[in-house]
Amino acid sequence: GAVVSQHPSWVICKSGTSVKIECRSLDFQATTMFWYRQFPKQSLMLMATSNEGSKATYEQGVEKDKFLINHASLTLSTLTVTSAHPEDSSFYICSARRTGTPNTGELFFGEGSRLTVL
Amino acid sequence: GQQVMQIPQYQHVQEGEDFTTYCNSSTTLSNIQWYKQRPGGHPVFLIQLVKSGEVKKQKRLTFQFGEAKKNSSLHITATQTTDVGTYFCAGPVGYDKIIFGKGTRLHILP
């Protein structure tokens, strides 16, 4: 089956620093990847849609300059939380869809990255 | 905007009892997907329904897509402890996005 790897699984950083989270599709190409934020016991909040070779599309209310997304290849998207603050602490999850599948096709999720900002 | 609503938010059932979660969309959906997220884990795709009135089964799980393609349900027969988790429905929006319902957290009482 399709595997999406997300790294790091957890990270603790000081307030004001930046953190990069990687999302890789290991055995398939993904033109489109998605980034979500999930608070404890809550649903998946879509943050942005990441498209290979183009700018990400951010959801309303998500700060582009704070959550930098780069999708430089068909197997890698990165999310950088810049100048992190304690309120940015959360569980961040990525998902990917196989290139060539319908735009409503199955999503494969990474394992998630738990960010704690001190 | 388009919304996908899911109820109930929480469900506690005795092991062996049945469980159902319901999903409703504010608009007609071309398809609907269901995902399961175990505690501490990530969502895993369960199934996709496409046809009006479609019913699909996976062992003890029965998935149904409404005739109007605006609602769906997931029914689990004779729940087991391995069924614990949060079940999300998800529907397409626009060209390539998929939006998720808030999920139903299932807790099994031994």
Side-chain angles (χ1 to χ4, degrees), chain A residues 38 43 59 103-104 107 110, chain B residues 33 37 42 48 95 97 101:
Chain A
Q38 187 175 38
S43 187
E59 295 300 301
N103 57 14
T104 54
L107 297 177
Chain B
Q33 299 176 357
Q37 184 176 20
H42 60 280
Q48 177 170 285
Y95 178 71
K97 287 195 308 186

Side-chain angles (χ1 to χ4, degrees), chain A residues 32 34 36 38 41-44 46 49 51 59 91 93 97 103-112 114, chain B residues 9-10 30-31 33 35 37 40-45 48 88 92 94-98 100-103 105:
Chain A
T32 303
F34 302 92
Y36 307 83
Q38 187 175 38
K41 301 178 182 179
Q42 293 192 25
S43 187
L44 299 157
L46 179 64
T49 303
N51 294 296
E59 295 300 301
F91 192 54
I93 314 179
R97 180 187 291 132
N103 57 14
T104 54
E106 172 185 353
L107 297 177
F108 300 96
F109 282 82
E111 306 95 330
R114 187 162 302 282
Chain B
Q9 191 173 359
Y10 305 96
S30 59
N31 70 78
Q33 299 176 357
Y35 293 80
Q37 184 176 20
H42 60 280
V44 174
F45 176 82
Q48 177 170 285
F88 294 98
Y95 178 71
D96 59 4
K97 287 195 308 186
I98 293 178
F100 285 77
K102 291 190 180 296
R105 288 180 58 213

Side-chain angles (χ1 to χ4, degrees), chain A residues 4-97:
Chain A
V4 175
S5 176
Q6 195 171 332
H7 178 81
S9 300
W10 56 270
V11 56
I12 301 173
C13 69
K14 293 182 178 180
S15 185
T17 60
S18 295
V19 173
K20 180 185 283 188
I21 301 170
E22 294 186 348
C23 180
R24 292 181 184 272
S25 55
L26 297 185
D27 51 359
F28 67 99
Q29 293 183 334
T31 305
T32 303
M33 292 186 177
F34 302 92
W35 287 96
Y36 307 83
R37 187 171 178 176
Q38 187 175 38
F39 293 101
K41 301 178 182 179
Q42 293 192 25
S43 187
L44 299 157
M45 186 192 81
L46 179 64
M47 299 174 65
T49 303
S50 171
N51 294 296
E52 187 268 337
S54 64
K55 291 183 179 181
T57 304
Y58 289 81
E59 295 300 301
Q60 192 172 9
V62 178
E63 297 178 59
K64 302 179 183 181
D65 295 332
K66 181 161 190 64
F67 299 100
L68 299 178
I69 291 172
N70 183 275
H71 194 153
S73 77
L74 287 171
T75 59
L76 174 64
S77 176
T78 61
L79 167 69
T80 301
V81 183
T82 62
S83 187
H85 290 283
E87 57 265 30
D88 298 324
S89 299
S90 190
F91 192 54
Y92 293 88
I93 314 179
C94 69
S95 72
R97 180 187 291 132

